[in-house]
């Protein structure tokens, strides 16, 4: 897990200033401390940490989820400077979320038969890795409770924190299950791809871990009880749904160089927002074309689906969805009684609105 500062600086990480210090430096300082413990574990069990030095790509993501824990805590404290301890602990929770994301992505890329991730071949695509990637995913997942135990076990919110991570993982795995089983061969039927099915999939597979989890971590650190923040959870789930619609859109219309991955949703027969919309807007002839070409690996079939998406002006339909969704989320945020919570939610929304990657 060796990563040098130049690698981190290349990541386009947002430079959020905390107590006059830049986030990247803070992330690195906290990471250095966490790394020592994880390497100790690996050395103890395996005798060497050589294999693990390969997962530096974890750091090449946007780090939005991790950064949002520190950002949110600062906003919840209404501008009051965070103490050194609060910076360390919120950064640690941020890294735990990035670890969770890395674990999901390593496994998701196998399940989706993806080719690239973060501008490089997917981890399992490396000849020396292959299905060892499954175990690497499990290892990444197992680091999280170790980091939590080491740094949070004396906190009164420790049990709530463990429960939160467990619950969110449970929700994500179920979302992933629906995402996968809807594509099963022999049951290919596009009329089942409705907006409500799509909503259910993305709420579970993406929204809880990507949006609710970072803010919930900050709320626990700020001494809040999560059961008093159901409305915050609802707004974050809405934001996460919007984020996954963007992901579905970028899978087809995004630039692979910019998003760092090559889309596979059409080939994989995914219940993507685009196919849901396409089916809704198609006439009988267009529906027939979609049924004949969707879910096939042949580039000729994929090109026909993409041409239909263009014909149906799905780019325009998405732009309209994007502005409407933004307005709706802003309205719910502004109805929240706490200005500090409003600031947390607006800051998160600002990070993703009209994103290109
Ligand atoms: C995103 O779906 C959802 C996940 C990465 C959650 C995976 C959960 C597991 C339990 C493994 P996606 O396939 O659209 O993401 P991407 O487009 O980044 O591959
Ligand atoms: Mg995927
Ligand atoms: Mg997937
Ligand atoms: Mg996707």
């Amino acid at each position: 897990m060796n990563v040098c500062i130049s690698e981190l600086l290349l990541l386009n990480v947002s430079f959020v200033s905390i107590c006059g210090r830049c986030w990247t430096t803070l992330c690195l300082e906290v990471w250095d401390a966490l790394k020592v413990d994880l390497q100790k574990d690996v050395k103890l069990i395996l005798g060497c940490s050589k294999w693990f030095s390969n997962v530096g790509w974890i750091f090449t993501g946007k780090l939005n989820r991790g950064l949002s824990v520190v950002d949110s805590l600062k906003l919840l404290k209404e501008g009051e400077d965070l103490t050194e301890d609060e910076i360390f602990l919120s950064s640690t929770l941020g890294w735990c979320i990035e670890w969770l994301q890395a674990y999901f992505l390593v496994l998701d890329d196998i399940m989706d038969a993806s080719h690239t991730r973060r501008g490089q071949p997917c981890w399992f695509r490396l000849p020396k890795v292959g299905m060892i990637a499954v175990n690497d995913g499990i290892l990444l997942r197992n680091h999280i409770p170790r980091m939590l135990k080491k740094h949070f076990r004396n906190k009164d919110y420790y049990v709530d924190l463990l429960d939160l991570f467990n619950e969110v993982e449970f929700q994500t795995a179920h979302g992933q299950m629906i995402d996968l089983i809807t594509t099963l061969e022999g049951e290919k039927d596009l009329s089942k791809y409705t907006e409500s099915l799509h909503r259910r999939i993305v709420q579970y597979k993406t929204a809880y871990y990507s949006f609710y989890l970072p803010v919930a971590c900050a709320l626990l650190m700020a001494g809040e009880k999560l059961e008093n923040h159901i409305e915050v959870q609802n707004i974050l789930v809405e934001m996460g749904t919007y984020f996954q619609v963007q992901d579905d859109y970028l899978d087809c219309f995004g630039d692979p160089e910019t998003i760092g991955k090559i889309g596979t949703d059409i080939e994989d027969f995914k219940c993507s927002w685009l196919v849901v919309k396409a089916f809704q807007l198609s006439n009988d002839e267009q529906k027939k074309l979609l049924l004949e070409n969707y879910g096939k690996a042949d580039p000729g079939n994929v090109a026909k689906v993409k041409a239909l998406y263009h014909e149906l002006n799905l780019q325009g339909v998405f732009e309209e969805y994007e502005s409407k969704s933004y307005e709706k989320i802003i309205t719910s945020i502004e109805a929240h009684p706490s200005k500090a919570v409003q600031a947390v939610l607006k800051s998160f929304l600002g990070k993703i609105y009209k994103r290109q990657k």
Side-chain angles (χ1 to χ4, degrees):
M1 279 186 252
N2 299 325
V3 64
C4 61
I5 187 125
S6 59
E7 273 178 87
L8 263 180
L9 291 172
L10 280 171
L11 308 181
N12 225 351
V13 172
S14 53
F15 283 77
V16 183
S17 172
I18 300 159
C19 315
R21 292 154 76 200
C22 123
W23 225 117
T24 322
T25 321
L26 283 169
C27 277
L28 207 68
E29 282 171 18
V30 174
W31 167 240
D32 273 341
L34 299 175
K35 183 173 69 176
V36 173
D37 294 329
L38 298 181
Q39 279 178 337
K40 243 190 263 164
D41 281 350
V42 177
K43 271 203 181 112
L44 197 74
I45 301 167
L46 302 178
C48 82
S49 53
K50 198 160 167 268
W51 183 255
F52 241 74
S53 66
N54 291 323
V55 292
W57 70 268
I58 288 172
F59 303 90
T60 57
K62 299 184 288 288
L63 303 182
N64 262 343
R65 295 167 181 81
L67 293 168
S68 292
V69 184
V70 190
D71 262 2
S72 301
L73 183 62
K74 183 153 173 65
L75 291 166
L76 288 173
K77 292 193 73 187
E78 298 184 73
E80 202 184 300
D81 278 346
L82 299 184
T83 62
E84 285 288 318
D85 193 43
E86 285 170 329
I87 292 171
F88 180 85
L89 291 177
S90 56
S91 304
T92 301
L93 290 179
W95 280 118
C96 287
I97 299 174
E98 291 299 327
W99 238 243
L100 187 73
Q101 157 85 339
Y103 143 59
F104 288 151
L105 295 183
V106 165
L107 298 184
D108 176 71
D109 282 341
I110 301 172
M111 300 181 214
D112 291 348
S114 293
H115 304 279
T116 54
R117 172 70 66 186
R118 297 174 177 173
Q120 295 173 51
C122 297
W123 183 241
F124 84 97
R125 293 271 178 201
L126 298 182
K128 67 170 182 183
V129 180
M131 284 307 123
I132 298 174
V134 175
N135 197 59
D136 287 337
I138 296 171
L139 282 175
L140 288 165
R141 187 249 175 264
N142 275 279
H143 285 147
I144 301 164
R146 296 183 81 82
M147 292 192 261
L148 295 178
K149 184 175 169 186
K150 164 108 195 197
H151 299 286
F152 294 89
R153 74 170 141 192
N154 296 324
K155 303 283 173 199
D156 3 330
Y157 56 86
Y158 179 53
V159 172
D160 292 333
L161 201 53
L162 289 182
D163 193 42
L164 172 67
F165 271 86
N166 285 336
E167 196 61 23
V168 164
E169 186 186 4
F170 173 86
Q171 288 163 320
T172 311
H174 279 79
Q176 183 76 349
M177 181 191 70
I178 324 173
D179 170 283
L180 294 165
I181 63 174
T182 51
T183 68
L184 284 176
E185 201 63 49
E187 291 172 30
K188 288 193 172 162
D189 166 16
L190 281 175
S191 64
K192 71 183 175 188
Y193 281 2
T194 58
E195 276 185 30
S196 71
L197 174 66
H198 178 263
R199 227 188 136 68
R200 195 145 46 95
I201 294 174
V202 307
Q203 170 175 352
Y204 281 91
K205 79 167 178 176
T206 301
Y208 288 113
Y209 93 87
S210 305
F211 286 80
Y212 176 60
L213 180 60
V215 174
C217 282
L219 284 168
L220 285 178
M221 277 197 68
E224 296 289 325
K225 283 278 168 210
L226 296 180
E227 58 267 31
N228 297 333
H229 291 281
I230 301 302
E231 186 48 22
V232 173
Q233 184 183 64
N234 292 339
I235 297 171
L236 287 161
V237 164
E238 203 55 44
M239 233 187 268
T241 303
Y242 161 60
F243 176 87
Q244 185 60 38
V245 172
Q246 290 174 315
D247 183 86
D248 289 357
Y249 174 82
L250 293 170
D251 186 275
C252 172
F253 292 108
D255 169 18
E257 285 288 315
T258 314
I259 59 174
K261 57 189 183 187
I262 299 164
T264 52
D265 286 350
I266 296 175
E267 291 89 330
D268 291 347
F269 199 77
K270 288 289 174 173
C271 178
S272 150
W273 183 85
L274 291 174
V275 80
V276 170
K277 278 287 153 202
F279 202 72
Q280 262 177 19
L281 299 170
S282 285
N283 59 31
D284 287 348
E285 202 184 315
Q286 290 166 325
K287 276 188 181 141
K288 190 166 168 280
L289 183 140
L290 206 50
L291 281 167
E292 280 167 6
N293 293 284
Y294 200 67
K296 303 214 165 113
D298 189 301
N301 297 110
V302 175
K304 282 189 190 147
V305 174
K306 288 196 177 180
L308 178 65
Y309 285 178
H310 280 285
E311 198 179 311
L312 295 169
N313 184 29
L314 289 193
Q315 279 164 292
V317 178
F318 171 75
E319 273 164 34
E320 203 185 312
Y321 166 87
E322 180 151 58
S323 7
K324 278 208 180 120
S325 183
Y326 180 80
E327 290 307 320
K328 191 175 159 212
I329 297 169
I330 285 285
T331 307
S332 342
I333 295 176
E334 287 177 349
H336 196 281
S338 153
K339 287 278 175 212
V341 172
Q342 285 190 21
V344 168
L345 298 172
K346 281 189 180 169
S347 152
F348 218 161
L349 184 58
K351 285 180 187 153
I352 58 157
Y353 183 50
K354 296 208 165 169
R355 72 189 175 100
Q356 299 298 317
K357 62 177 199 164

